[in-house]
Amino acid sequence: MNIKTILKHKLKNGQNDSNWDLSINNAFKVLNPNYISNSEILLFALNAKKIEHFDNIVSLLYSDSRLPNSDFRTYKKIFKYSKGESIEGRSKKYPIKEYDLSDWIESLYITSKWLETKGLNTSFDAQIEYIGCTAEVNVDGGLASLPNMVIDFLELYGFEKVL
């Protein structure tokens, strides 16, 4: 997978390739390759429904990579949770419904924008765990999409783990 392949995919969906090209190249420049690989960046780009969603996750990745505990690579939870895989803590006790990576990226965008409009700040990990909690509720399926569920949860319950 390379930038040209991703841009062709985005063009098929009616998106502007030059903006995507700039955004992806910016991600390569600002994100430390010791923190995240270029192939993982491209995976996020390929699965982002909109450039705003991709730019948001790049911003979250950048902030997380600058923390002293960045060796934990918080973003890896997104890959596992999107597949419904069990990791320490949360999904060892409670199963998580599988949702596409694109739904997770969009849900992170929704959460980030909601927090921003409320003047709140939280960690990348707290956002991922919040969305994971939302995914637990719909483990048997049948409910709305993950992004719609996140919107509902934010409206009903707010966000407790703010900095």
Side-chain angles (χ1 to χ4, degrees):
M1 175 174 46
N2 61 37
I3 294 176
K4 296 286 183 208
T5 305
I6 290 173
L7 294 177
K8 282 182 185 177
H9 175 76
K10 297 299 179 187
L11 278 176
K12 274 196 247 180
N13 294 327
Q15 298 185 44
N16 184 327
D17 68 326
S18 62
N19 289 341
W20 275 99
D21 187 43
L22 288 171
S23 220
I24 293 168
N25 282 310
N26 179 59
F28 289 155
K29 287 178 192 168
V30 301
L31 295 173
N32 186 334
N34 293 325
Y35 174 77
I36 186 168
S37 70
N38 285 350
S39 62
E40 290 170 319
I41 294 169
L42 290 172
L43 188 58
F44 281 124
L46 182 62
N47 284 282
K49 293 176 186 172
K50 296 180 179 180
I51 197 165
E52 296 86 9
H53 300 172
F54 177 69
D55 289 344
N56 179 69
I57 196 145
V58 168
S59 177
L60 292 168
L61 290 164
Y62 177 77
S63 295
D64 191 58
S65 73
R66 308 292 292 172
L67 296 174
N69 64 350
S70 66
D71 289 344
F72 296 133
R73 293 177 176 80
T74 299
Y75 72 90
K76 297 248 184 209
K77 288 182 176 183
I78 300 167
F79 296 132
K80 290 193 171 276
Y81 283 168
S82 69
K83 296 176 188 172
E85 290 181 9
S86 181
I87 60 175
E88 292 178 22
R90 169 171 312 299
S91 58
K92 285 197 180 228
K93 288 184 181 179
Y94 306 103
I96 292 180
K97 181 174 171 30
E98 288 181 40
Y99 286 101
D100 289 341
L101 187 54
S102 61
D103 289 336
W104 275 83
I105 296 167
E106 183 178 356
S107 295
L108 283 163
Y109 176 80
I110 290 165
T111 305
S112 294
K113 291 303 163 192
W114 186 89
L115 289 164
E116 185 181 301
T117 62
K118 302 289 185 191
L120 302 172
N121 193 11
T122 192
S123 69
F124 187 29
D125 187 54
Q127 289 186 48
I128 293 169
E129 290 300 321
Y130 186 93
I131 296 165
C133 182
T134 305
E136 286 175 5
V137 171
N138 195 25
V139 73
D140 294 327
L143 295 178
S145 69
L146 184 60
N148 286 336
M149 288 177 50
V150 168
I151 290 168
D152 289 346
F153 267 57
L154 288 168
E155 288 176 6
L156 289 171
Y157 306 112
F159 200 106
E160 288 185 14
K161 277 188 136 180
V162 293
L163 302 176

